[in-house]
Amino acid sequence: MGGQNAKPITSVSSAGPFRLVYFDVEAAGEKVRLAFCLAGIPFEDKRVKFEEWETLKPKTKYGQLPILQVGDEELYQSTAMLKYVALAAPESGLYPLSDPVKCVRIDEMMGLIADFQNLWAPCFYVAMYPERLGHAGAVDKAVIEKMRTAFVENEMPKFMDFFSKAIGSSFVCGDTPTIADCVLFPQLRYFTRGVADFVPPTCLEPYPLITAYIDRVLSLEPIKKWYDDNAKM
Ligand SMILES: N[C@@H](CCC(=O)N[C@@H](CS)C(=O)NCC(=O)O)C(=O)O
C-alpha cells in the first residue's frame, strides 16, 4: 500500500488499471464492485484475508479498507470511489455531471441510505467486536434480538416507505441505475439473505415495491453476471 506516499489522483477519463482491495465480504466494498460492473469497467477484485490484515493495516492511510488502486495511485472512502468510477465512465449515467440537479438528488438519496445504514450499524456490530463496544465478552443474545427486532419493526417500515416512494417502478433516482442503487441494492439484498440473526429473510416482503426493485436490479445483465460469477458470496 502506498500509505502517506501515495501519489495524488490527477485524472479520471484516462485512469486505470483499477484494483479494488477489500476483505472477502460485501459490506463497504460491494457498492464499488457493482459500480464497476454497471460502468462496464474491468477491475481486479483483490480480496484480503483477515489473517493478512494485521500486517497490512499499518501500511494503509486510514487503517481501513477498501482502497482503490488506480495505476500506482490510491483512493480511499467507498463513496468517493463510487463517484470516481462513475466519472471514469460518463456514458454510464451513474453520476451524470451534465445534469447537476440529478447529481444533487443522487447525493440526497445517498444521505438517506446512509441514515438507514447508520441505524442498522449498532444492531450489526453489537454481535461483533465486543471490546470496541466497551464490554469484555459476547453480548447476551436477548440484547441482540431486542435491538434487531426494534430495527425491523420500527426503522424498516419508515425507510422502506421513503425508498418505495423514490423508486416507484424504476430505480432510486430515475429510469436508469445510478451510484445510489450501488449503495442501496446490496444493503437490501443483505436483509433478504437470512444471514443476520433476528432479521428474517422475509423482512422485506411487506414492501412489494422494494422486493420488485431487488428483482429489477438483479435482472440487469451486468449485475446478474456478477452474482452468477460470485455465487459463493
Ligand atoms: N467510510 C469508510 C469505512 C471503511 C471501513 O469501515 N472499513 C472497515 C471494514 S467495512 C475496516 O477496514 N475495518 C478494519 C479495521 O478497522 O481494522 C468507507 O466507506 O470506505
Side-chain angles (χ1 to χ4, degrees):
M1 297 294 146
Q4 298 297 338
N5 297 322
K7 283 196 250 164
I9 301 275
T10 52
S11 68
V12 173
S13 56
S14 60
F18 295 97
R19 185 174 192 252
L20 181 70
V21 183
Y22 192 56
F23 302 106
D24 190 15
V25 294
E26 295 195 2
E30 190 72 359
K31 59 171 103 60
V32 188
R33 298 179 185 127
L34 297 185
F36 274 121
C37 292
L38 289 170
I41 298 176
F43 71 105
E44 182 187 339
D45 186 21
K46 171 68 183 163
R47 308 273 177 139
V48 172
K49 293 188 172 59
F50 289 118
E51 53 271 26
E52 298 172 297
W53 179 232
E54 202 181 328
T55 314
L56 186 59
K57 183 177 169 84
K59 297 177 188 162
T60 66
K61 193 171 178 184
Y62 301 123
Q64 285 189 322
L65 297 178
I67 296 173
L68 179 59
Q69 297 176 332
V70 186
D72 61 356
E73 302 178 11
E74 292 190 338
L75 188 61
Y76 305 83
Q77 292 295 336
S78 55
T79 304
M81 293 172 200
L82 282 180
K83 293 186 180 177
Y84 191 72
V85 173
L87 298 181
E91 70 290 350
S92 68
L94 287 172
Y95 193 70
L97 285 188
S98 58
D99 185 347
V101 173
K102 181 155 182 177
C103 289
V104 171
R105 290 295 180 201
I106 292 170
D107 287 342
E108 174 186 326
M109 290 309 297
M110 295 219 296
L112 188 67
I113 299 163
D115 290 347
F116 178 59
Q117 291 180 314
N118 289 341
L119 288 163
W120 166 246
C123 307
F124 175 74
Y125 284 114
V126 69
M128 298 169 70
Y129 308 131
E131 69 287 354
R132 286 194 196 175
L133 295 161
H135 51 83
V139 174
D140 190 331
K141 274 227 158 190
V143 174
I144 301 171
E145 178 173 13
K146 193 172 169 199
M147 288 176 73
R148 292 187 177 180
T149 303
F151 176 83
V152 171
E153 289 179 358
N154 303 331
E155 305 302 343
M156 267 195 181
K158 187 170 71 185
F159 280 87
M160 292 312 120
D161 184 46
F162 294 151
F163 295 141
S164 295
K165 284 182 176 137
I167 291 167
S169 58
S170 55
F171 296 96
V172 174
C173 288
D175 292 341
T176 58
T178 65
I179 56 174
D181 295 285
C182 297
V183 185
L184 183 61
F185 167 74
Q187 181 65 73
L188 295 177
R189 179 176 172 270
Y190 169 83
F191 288 128
T192 66
R193 290 168 64 207
V195 289
D197 288 343
F198 313 115
V199 181
T202 52
C203 66
L204 295 180
E205 284 179 7
Y207 316 107
L209 289 176
I210 296 296
T211 52
Y213 166 74
I214 293 173
D215 291 343
R216 188 174 309 118
V217 177
L218 274 175
S219 68
L220 295 169
E221 200 48 50
I223 302 293
K224 187 178 174 325
K225 180 169 176 0
W226 173 253
Y227 288 110
D228 284 350
D229 292 350
N230 294 277
K232 70 179 173 63
M233 294 189 303

